[in-house]
Amino acid sequence: MAEHSFISYSGADGLDFATRLADELQGQHPFFKVWFDKRELSSASRDDWDDQLANAIKTCKALVFAMTEDSTADGSVCKDEWTWALKYKKPVITLRKDKKAETPFRLNNHQHVDFLENFDIGIAQLRTALTRLDSPEGVLDELKHRLADANRDLRRATDEKKPRIQADIDDLKTQIKTQEKIVANPKAAEEQTKKN
């Protein structure tokens, strides 16, 4: 199971914020492991950095996207990061850091945490959001997001890709039914798990 949250930000106008965010998430209770490039990237070749970033996103628990004017601008590397996260069905939590930053279209239906007015309130809300990802309700929410994305992909897919996407949809529906039972009656689900 993935344990780290990947911090996506623009170095042009979000480095100080991302550094503080990483410090707060890792240095306070409850502890959250984060993947922050300034601390995690090994000093190999630049080509290797791409592999390290891609793997860190592929294996993350969630991608935390700090929305600033530069990180949401056309051509931002952050878009590569959050689209990679979506490709691997990772939750994306957007952090509203800058009033000039416009939420990217594909992230409108994802969870937003507001850091515009108060960092301490924002970090508390982010901690709650990250903790919720491991709860039965959080798992159910993410499965529903993935189903909505898969349904959208199916409508746009070529005939060649439709069977694979439909299989994913069928699997997600099964997982959602199971998770709904867990949310409705966690005690019975725990007992069933023990039996299995």
Side-chain angles (χ1 to χ4, degrees):
M1 182 174 178
E3 294 181 10
H4 68 271
S5 295
F6 183 96
I7 299 178
S8 176
Y9 68 98
S10 167
D13 61 0
L15 178 58
D16 290 343
F17 175 77
T19 302
R20 183 176 179 196
L21 189 69
D23 290 345
E24 288 289 325
L25 288 173
Q26 292 190 141
Q28 303 294 324
H29 181 76
F31 170 85
F32 290 97
K33 182 172 174 51
V34 298
W35 199 96
F36 178 47
D37 64 347
K38 296 299 182 200
R39 298 176 185 161
E40 304 297 331
L41 278 176
S42 67
S43 58
S45 72
R46 186 146 182 90
D47 291 338
D48 188 47
W49 285 3
D50 288 345
D51 293 339
Q52 290 178 61
L53 288 167
N55 189 55
I57 295 167
K58 185 178 177 180
T59 60
C60 73
K61 171 182 179 175
L63 182 134
V64 176
F65 174 39
M67 292 193 311
T68 58
E69 188 172 10
D70 191 69
S71 72
T72 58
D74 290 342
S76 171
V77 172
C78 294
K79 182 175 183 180
D80 294 337
E81 293 172 349
W82 61 256
T83 55
W84 194 254
L86 293 177
K87 174 183 177 181
Y88 285 98
K89 315 295 189 239
K90 301 298 180 176
V92 175
I93 301 172
T94 59
L95 310 183
R96 295 190 66 233
K97 170 66 180 95
D98 186 339
K99 289 180 183 179
K100 295 178 184 175
E102 187 172 337
T103 303
F105 177 76
R106 289 188 58 199
L107 298 179
N108 269 328
N109 67 343
H110 289 261
Q111 184 168 3
H112 304 287
V113 176
D114 194 339
F115 277 84
L116 290 172
E117 302 298 324
N118 186 303
F119 184 90
D120 292 333
I121 291 173
I123 198 75
Q125 291 173 349
L126 178 57
R127 287 178 174 284
T128 299
L130 289 171
T131 300
R132 190 171 194 282
L133 291 175
D134 293 328
S135 73
E137 294 82 5
V139 171
L140 180 59
D141 287 347
E142 286 308 314
L143 288 170
K144 287 180 178 179
H145 280 300
R146 288 173 55 193
L147 179 60
D149 288 346
N151 279 321
R152 185 192 66 242
D153 292 345
L154 182 64
R155 290 190 301 273
R156 295 172 170 86
T158 62
D159 289 338
E160 182 181 295
K161 292 183 180 181
K162 283 185 179 181
R164 181 192 54 79
I165 296 171
Q166 186 60 56
D168 288 346
I169 288 171
D170 295 341
D171 182 50
L172 284 166
K173 286 179 179 179
T174 300
Q175 290 180 53
I176 287 170
K177 284 182 184 177
T178 301
Q179 195 64 29
E180 285 172 339
K181 290 177 184 175
I182 292 170
V183 169
N185 192 346
K187 186 81 171 164
E190 184 180 328
E191 289 174 15
Q192 184 61 44
T193 300
K194 287 178 184 177
K195 285 181 186 178
N196 291 346

